[in-house]
Amino acid sequence: MAPQRFREQFDHIQRAMPDVPLAMGPDDSAEFLYEKGVVIARDGEEARMVEDTVRAYFTEAPDLTPDHVRRASAETNRTGITRIRVGDPGEGGAQGDPTVAHALRAVRQREDRAGRRLVSRNHVVHIAPVNACPGDEPVPAPVTDGTNPSPAEAVHDPQTAVGVLVIDTGLMHDYRACSQLAHVDGDRAVEERDAGGMLKQYVGHGTFIAGVVAAVAPNTNVTVLGTLNDVGAILESEFGAKLFEAVDRHGWPDVISLSAGTSNGRTDGLLGMDAFMEELRTRRTLLVAAAGNNGSEIPFWPAAYADLPEYADTVLSVGALRSDGEFGACFSNHGSWVQVYAPGERLTSALTGFDAPVPYVYQHSTYDACRYGFTYECTCQHPGHTGVLTEEQQTTGSKPDQVMFEGFAQWSGTSFATPVVAGMIAAHMTAHKETDPRAARQQLLAANAEFAQVHGDRVPALRPPTWRPVPVVALTPGA
């Protein structure tokens, strides 16, 4: 039986958010996750209009209950978003929520007249997923082999260091034992281990990303925030407020590195991020965002803001190249909305276990063949392991594979291609004494003469000088 990665991740996230019933969407597929029985709208008159419109629509539909329609959360914050309950979250299963779909249809005519979106599902924003997780699970790497990319030769100068804010999971307790993280600070990870002493899934994600930024651009002050400490997931209605919280605490940095997001079946962004994105446009900060790991052309937000004209200079979307850097990684999202690609398969960076080895048990099983149809030895298959969450393992009682981390790890995903690009922009700023990160982005891309092949297209590729390509193994001729 092939692993059901999306279902495994859905169950994992639902257990971590027990008070928020979730559904898979849009209606009869598994493209994204969202809160059951709830839609979101802008505070004030728009929220009242949505509430009244949905209630009237439900009154006319005998199978729907107008009494459920009411504002579930009236708190006003800088995001200007209100949650509106439109159904009983306890009804139905996880495969879509028809009541939410009806509520969206009820408002559609008013949206057409207004010329903009008035209501949305309350999506789950999560660590850039292959079905809600990174491209694979981490693999231990010998400390003696060093990191890949290797640390660039540059001196850290606090006066000229480029500020990089990483919105992710927090830092592991022993991260300072890695010398290249000497100028990294921020939140600590919450509950690094489970009750059995095993390393929890994703807790080292932010530490790994910080290590990549610091390797590519040593002259950086990297701050890692634990915004996604809860299994790397957060509701859209809360995410915008958390982003505002981050810049309120630490100021607007030169670069924000964000390896999280969601698709939403639309081409106009996330309603819950509208206020933050509008504020971002007025600042000098550049948002570098992961394109996601669903092997799809479907826009993934906030990375896909890069394709909207008003955000073209504000957001840089990043896809992943496979380990040889010549082609796109099997898992990487792609399409016209992805602006640049960087190495994102089998990178090596800091994780945990510097003080003492830390055990980890795999959560997912690998596949017999690439789930995206690629024919090279990709991370879908290698290295092979059996995971705890796989249905076959649960029914047969076979023992999942366990490893020990002793500092470094090898990991894959657009999650990690993103800090490569963030670091290259920061390094360009240092090398050229450029103080404007958006100007540095333009200069770096304009001067870049490297390309790769992604689904038959020739795309811009950024490969840091200290990155070492790893040859791929073709499983069939022509791979």
Side-chain angles (χ1 to χ4, degrees):
M1 179 184 298
Q4 301 298 312
R5 189 69 59 89
F6 190 86
R7 167 61 71 174
E8 293 167 14
Q9 279 305 305
F10 175 86
D11 292 343
H12 184 65
I13 290 174
Q14 182 63 91
R15 283 194 294 273
M17 304 172 72
D19 299 328
V20 183
L22 300 176
M24 305 177 192
D27 299 320
D28 55 359
S29 65
E31 183 185 320
F32 49 71
L33 310 180
Y34 63 100
E35 184 180 11
K36 288 178 67 178
V38 168
V39 296
I40 58 175
R42 296 178 186 86
D43 282 339
E45 187 58 36
E46 285 191 14
R48 286 189 289 273
M49 182 276 295
V50 168
E51 186 178 357
D52 292 344
T53 302
V54 174
R55 185 177 290 116
Y57 179 88
F58 281 16
T59 300
E60 297 168 3
D63 58 332
L64 300 171
T65 308
D67 291 344
H68 280 156
V69 183
R70 61 183 183 278
R71 271 162 279 188
S73 173
E75 299 92 352
T76 300
N77 55 47
R78 289 169 67 185
T79 62
I81 293 298
T82 291
R83 293 170 61 252
I84 300 173
R85 182 177 170 185
V86 296
D88 183 351
E91 291 183 354
Q95 195 66 50
D97 185 339
T99 308
V100 169
H102 279 294
L104 298 179
R105 293 189 194 104
V107 185
R108 188 169 298 159
Q109 189 173 10
R110 284 183 175 269
E111 287 185 323
D112 291 342
R113 289 199 296 268
R116 70 170 183 167
R117 182 169 36 156
L118 302 173
V119 66
S120 168
R121 292 178 175 87
N122 194 15
H123 302 90
V124 176
V125 177
H126 40 72
I127 287 173
V130 51
N131 299 334
C133 64
D136 62 354
E137 291 178 81
V139 176
V143 174
T144 53
D145 290 354
T147 62
N148 188 19
S150 302
E153 291 185 8
V155 177
H156 180 264
D157 174 11
Q159 301 304 314
T160 63
V162 178
V164 179
L165 188 61
V166 175
I167 309 292
D168 211 271
T169 61
L171 293 160
M172 302 301 283
H173 75 282
D174 57 349
Y175 81 95
R176 286 200 183 276
C178 178
S179 59
Q180 69 194 53
L181 297 182
H183 306 294
V184 172
D185 207 345
D187 299 335
R188 298 299 183 267
V190 176
E191 296 182 11
E192 294 181 12
R193 303 195 194 193
D194 63 18
M198 294 291 174
L199 187 69
K200 297 183 74 172
Q201 200 170 12
Y202 310 142
V203 291
H205 196 260
T207 303
F208 191 99
I209 286 170
V212 173
V213 174
V216 176
N219 192 30
T220 47
N221 290 329
V222 181
T223 302
V224 179
L225 298 190
T227 307
L228 300 170
N229 266 330
D230 199 356
V231 297
I234 189 171
L235 288 173
E236 179 181 339
S237 58
E238 301 171 5
F239 189 50
K242 290 292 185 181
L243 293 174
F244 275 124
E245 223 175 82
V247 295
D248 285 347
R249 282 175 60 192
H250 298 279
W252 288 87
D254 295 303
V255 177
I256 294 176
S257 181
L258 179 62
S259 293
T262 181
S263 56
N264 65 354
R266 296 182 62 105
T267 59
D268 55 358
L270 298 176
L271 193 60
M273 283 192 70
D274 268 2
F276 180 81
M277 295 304 295
E278 286 291 331
E279 177 83 6
L280 177 65
R281 285 176 62 191
T282 69
R283 303 287 179 165
R284 57 187 293 279
T285 299
L286 176 68
L287 173 61
V288 183
N293 307 324
N294 290 319
S296 169
E297 290 186 281
I298 295 171
F300 184 80
W301 306 94
Y305 278 100
D307 201 37
L308 301 182
E310 61 268 38
Y311 292 105
D313 297 329
T314 308
V315 182
L316 180 58
S317 51
V318 183
L321 298 175
R322 71 186 192 182
S323 60
D324 65 358
E326 297 299 322
F327 294 87
C330 71
F331 51 77
S332 181
N333 283 348
H334 53 278
S336 60
W337 56 275
V338 184
Q339 295 178 319
V340 70
Y341 292 77
E345 188 176 63
R346 298 188 172 105
L347 299 186
T348 304
S349 184
L351 190 72
T352 193
F354 291 100
D355 294 342
V358 180
Y360 178 76
V361 61
Y362 282 102
Q363 301 297 299
H364 308 287
S365 294
T366 45
Y367 293 72
D368 293 332
C370 175
R371 57 193 180 278
Y372 304 108
F374 282 64
T375 52
Y376 74 97
E377 192 176 75
C378 66
T379 56
C380 296
Q381 310 157 73
H382 301 279
H385 47 252
T386 299
V388 164
L389 300 175
T390 305
E391 185 176 336
E392 186 175 4
Q393 185 274 326
Q394 294 174 340
T395 56
T396 62
S398 58
K399 189 175 181 180
D401 291 317
Q402 180 178 320
V403 292
M404 300 292 288
F405 285 102
E406 300 182 74
F408 288 172
Q410 195 177 78
W411 216 344
S412 303
T414 60
S415 282
F416 313 122
T418 297
V420 167
V421 172
M424 291 186 72
I425 291 166
H428 180 92
M429 292 176 68
T430 295
H432 297 273
K433 296 182 172 56
E434 175 60 68
T435 58
D436 183 344
R438 297 183 187 181
R441 165 196 182 274
Q442 297 286 5
Q443 295 161 13
L444 184 64
L445 293 180
N448 178 58
E450 297 189 24
F451 295 87
Q453 292 289 325
V454 175
H455 290 268
D457 293 327
R458 190 168 179 260
V459 300
L462 291 176
R463 305 179 182 96
T466 61
W467 169 73
R468 305 183 301 278
V470 179
V472 302
V473 176
L475 301 180
T476 61

